[in-house]
Amino acid sequence: MMTGIALRTVRARWASFAGVFIAVGLGVALLATTGLTLASSVGRTRHPAWYERADVVVAGNNSIAVVVRPGTKEEYTSTTTTNRSRALPADLAAKLPGAVVDRWLPGGAHPWSAAALHDLPGAGPARDDEAVVSGPGASAGQRVDVAGRAFTVTGTVGGPPAVYLTDKAAEELSGGRIDAIAVRGMTADQVRKAVGDGPRVLTGDARADAEPDPDADLLALAASMMGTTAGLAAFVAVFVVASTFAFAVAQRRRELALLRAAGATPRQVRRLVLGEALVVGAVAGLAGCGVGLLAAPPFAHALARAGFAPRGFTAGFVLWPLLAAFGAGLLVALSGAAVAAHRAGRVRPIEALRDATADRRVMTVGRFVFGLLFLGGALTLVLTVSGGVAVIALTLLEAQLAITGVAIFAPLLAPGMAWLLGRLLPGMTAALARDGARTSVRRTAATVAPILVTAGIAASTLSGSATLWGAQARAGADRLTAAGVLVAPASVPPGGVPVARSVVYVNQSDYAKPFDAVFAGPGLSRVMKVPVEPAGGTVVAGHGLAASMGWHPGGTADFWLDDSTPVRLTVADVLAPSADLDDAVLLPWALGPGRPDAVYLPGPATGIAGQVLTPRQYFASLEAEQRRMNDLALLAVLGMAMVYTMIGIANTLVMATADRARDLAVLRLAGTTPRQALAMVGLEALLCAAAGTALAWLVAGGMLLGMVPRLHDQGVAAIIVVPWDRVLGVAGACALVALLAALIPAAFALRTPAARMAAVRE
């Protein structure tokens, strides 16, 4: 019976459930789109391109295996793939008749001997400063740069895009490193017998593993962004659906009370509300899956155009993301309606005789408890956690907890804040607007809450990220005492200190986790503020990493280089807490890749060829691309949150229009013109938007102030950075949506004669 009533209720009150349908449908569409795109990225198969004509390819090891709980029944192996493969021994090629030694250099450069893999004709470059180029746009006479060294193109050939150097020049630039050996005319078993157990012997599609995969980082970035977007979508969807159902139940107090008076039990009333959520969630889920299936391919193409995914990336049909998205949509609908259903079951028959327009008991005991839990969690993090760059990032988590807690307390905070802001405005219209916002607690809270969440997430995330990026750049520049930094150097000038940035892998929590590494040449203490230089078999560790691993001066540190080579070094010293190298290590140049990314210059850069930057310019540009990608990802996530905010605001205000019909009629009968009534409605909506924005900025401001002592602990001057253009843009968009969502339905309602509007019953 209750299911039938639920179906009829949804059909009769379709306008009240339209916002829920759109919120759930959009959430399912977003989850389906991201799920299909993620499944397409994870399930992709790489085919060999460079080594397509080789029968077998030999490459070094590129994985780290960590045995967890050895010797127990729970023993398992955690495997991590590293950025590079280990270099192959120089004498290995002699064991393989007809083998082609290959070296992968920056810009797609290879030794000319590797041209034999593609059966290219010609003699190749004749001198060590010449190159032969293949690929579109190549022409003789142009100059190409490889690892900071210029080469003159003397000819072009066919085959895959590449820059061919003499074997001698390629060996010099690679530091003698052999990345792979391609073999023809031998079987995998023959090659494996010749090379032994160390290197990998690859055949078939596995040969592609010996080729660099620049798309891997892009796909990982896309997967991370999609995961964040999907998680925020689920959170905001539950928030919007819960707010909408709560408002709908509040509007139907008298209707539900009549059901109770007619004999319906609290359990039956709860089943009614949950049945409505089930019906709306199922229909919205099916619609969302259809939209997601259509949206996934263009979404994947958009990721590729924005630089978040490789060129040509697309998404196809995969069943499990659609099933997961549909199930998540139902769960979101039922979760959002659960609290409202519980409240509906507690409606007493006597409510049918009361004034249903009065807001009573907006803050329940459960709401108080959850609000205090979220605020308590944020306060606990502020008071107990300190130190370390990674911990500074936890400030953003504190902000999310605080924003959620304040949003839960919106019925207590929002009306008063809107009334206080309204006191700043003169006139009778402003007085009516602020009094309306203060007395209509449910409507005000339901309007303010989504604005608070969106504006708070935007202000805290954008400002926190910008502040942290700036702190790290300043800390790196302040540590350098060098007069300048030579970037992309062709050679190391006399007195210069070469540096190369990479990663090392440390066994942390039974997992080989990457950390930043800086390889530096002799004389580092002349150009950088460090207690000692890493030399020989020593390492200088950052404070945060050393503390988490228990490293101390004089002890040993075990980790892996970026090519999976295990090393054990003596800890020469531990740096003081810092924002730039807190979770990093300084290593001797001999362990590095051999090619400098930059050279720190102790003196003036006169007579030095190449681009020389100041330390501040260098660190500002060092992570420029990563910051750009990070900002794009944040804006994409915030854009999704904005859509949900619009849905929540519009749905609440449209649903509230029916409740305001009699109020508007009374104003009209009292002599108020339609324009004045619309001004009052619009101003009330703007006061609600301003109240939500003010509360959001208070939380974000508290979060930013909480970063100040932590930045001081890292030895960095605290400079709060707020991207006002984006923060104000988000707040303005929320205000515009609130204004339109209030004015449009009110304008339609005012078209009804005042006498007829006054006769409208609840």
Side-chain angles (χ1 to χ4, degrees), residues 443-478:
R443 183 176 68 237
T444 300
T447 305
V448 166
I451 297 175
L452 167 62
V453 171
T454 302
I457 290 175
S460 60
T461 304
L462 293 173
S463 301
S465 298
T467 300
L468 186 55
W469 283 114
Q472 290 177 323
R474 288 195 308 277
D478 292 343

Side-chain angles (χ1 to χ4, degrees), residues 92-109:
L92 192 60
K95 303 178 182 179
L96 303 169
V100 175
V101 173
D102 200 6
R103 311 176 197 273
W104 287 87
L105 298 170

Side-chain angles (χ1 to χ4, degrees), residues 381-382 385 391-392 395 398 706-714:
L381 287 178
V382 171
V385 183
V391 174
I392 294 176
T395 307
E398 298 166 4
M707 293 184 70
V708 171
R710 291 177 176 174
L711 291 175
H712 280 305
D713 291 341
Q714 306 303 310

Side-chain angles (χ1 to χ4, degrees), residues 621-669:
S621 64
L622 192 62
E623 304 293 342
E625 178 63 16
Q626 185 175 352
R627 287 198 299 271
R628 185 186 74 85
M629 302 293 281
N630 183 69
D631 288 345
L632 286 175
L634 288 176
L635 292 176
V637 173
L638 290 173
M640 183 279 306
M642 283 289 296
V643 173
Y644 273 114
T645 300
M646 296 175 188
I647 293 172
I649 297 170
N651 192 58
T652 297
L653 293 176
V654 169
M655 291 169 60
T657 300
D659 288 348
R660 307 191 68 169
R662 298 182 66 184
D663 295 339
L664 294 174
V666 171
L667 289 174
R668 291 287 309 283
L669 293 174

Side-chain angles (χ1 to χ4, degrees), residues 142-167:
Q142 70 184 72
R143 304 277 288 181
V144 294
D145 183 89
V146 178
R149 184 169 161 182
F151 294 84
T152 302
V153 177
T154 58
T156 61
V157 292
V163 176
Y164 294 102
L165 312 178
T166 64
D167 289 2

